[in-house]
Structure formats: C-alpha cells, structure tokens
Amino acid sequence: MKKRSLFDHEKLDVYRQSVEFARWVTELLDDGSLGGCKSSAVNHLEDSSRSILNNIAEGNGKRSLRDRCRFFDIARGSALECAASLDVLVARKQLDEDRVEGGKALLVRIVSMLVKLVDKLLGPEQFG
C-alpha cells in the first residue's frame, strides 16, 4: 500500500491534536447531547474548532517567522474561544461538566503546544 504524502502542517502534532478536537466536536454535535440546541455557543464552537485547524495550516505555510507565529497565535485564540463556548454551554445547563472534560483536556494540550511552538520560533516573551 502506497503511503500518502503529507503537507507540512499535517506533520505537526498540534495539528493532529486539533483534528482530534474537531472530531470530538463533531461527535458532541451528532450524539444528541445538545438535543437540537440552537445556541450561538454551539455555532461558535463549530466555527472556532475549524479556525484552529485553518490557522495552523495557513500559518505553517508562511515564509516569515512573524507571520507564521501570528497565525499560530490566532489558532491559540480560537482554541480559547472553544473552551469559552463549552463553558457557556455548561453554564446554561445544556451540557454537563463531565461531558466537556475530554474536549477541554484536548484544548489545554493544543494551547500549550501552540505557546511552545511560538516560544521555539520567536522566544518566550511573545505571549508575555
């Protein structure tokens, strides 16, 4: 069986973890936990989870380190927005805290990896 070629961003562990988070969001939306909830937090969660992936992919393709890191920082912000959307859904009692635990754990890892990636590229003072 022929091994498929990977884009450079697909080789990043943070990208693969973000794909896993997007998969987790899809399962959450499809499993009936939200019971057809029309909350803007649900839409924002879906959009932000895609934004993490898009910004990592686009950023990794930039030639300038500053541009690359700017997109990684945007991806980090999108991950934090996902966490906030999950908090809103818990606060509104549309999801149980136990249900969001796995997704939040993935987000903590993604944010940490993005911070370390930028630290490696530009130095630790970038997120001051």
Side-chain angles (χ1 to χ4, degrees):
M1 180 173 204
K2 184 179 177 185
K3 187 174 180 179
R4 79 175 185 95
S5 298
L6 296 177
F7 288 101
D8 285 343
H9 65 270
E10 292 175 297
K11 297 173 188 174
L12 295 173
D13 192 31
V14 68
Y15 184 82
R16 291 190 301 269
Q17 290 299 307
S18 299
V19 168
E20 187 59 35
F21 179 72
R23 188 174 292 123
W24 181 88
V25 168
T26 299
E27 290 171 7
L28 176 71
L29 297 177
D30 290 348
D31 77 358
S33 297
L34 292 167
C37 174
K38 299 289 186 199
S39 172
S40 62
V42 172
N43 294 331
H44 198 76
L45 176 63
E46 191 170 15
D47 293 343
S48 296
S49 66
R50 277 193 311 271
S51 179
I52 298 169
L53 291 165
N54 291 339
N55 282 292
I56 293 170
E58 185 171 356
N60 203 56
K62 297 295 181 184
R63 291 178 186 244
S64 154
L65 286 181
R66 287 222 176 268
D67 281 347
R68 183 177 293 180
C69 290
R70 185 171 60 84
F71 279 91
F72 292 158
D73 191 29
I74 294 168
R76 183 181 68 95
S78 294
L80 295 170
E81 288 180 29
C82 288
S85 294
L86 291 171
D87 290 342
V88 167
L89 292 168
V90 169
R92 292 181 178 168
K93 300 183 186 317
Q94 294 168 317
L95 284 175
D96 293 328
E97 280 191 48
D98 292 344
R99 182 63 180 98
V100 301
E101 190 175 317
K104 295 269 291 248
L106 283 167
L107 289 169
V108 166
R109 183 156 189 230
I110 290 164
V111 168
S112 175
M113 293 170 83
L114 287 165
V115 168
K116 288 176 185 173
L117 187 56
V118 170
D119 283 355
K120 180 180 172 186
L121 295 172
L122 291 182
E125 68 281 352
Q126 296 306 308
F127 287 119

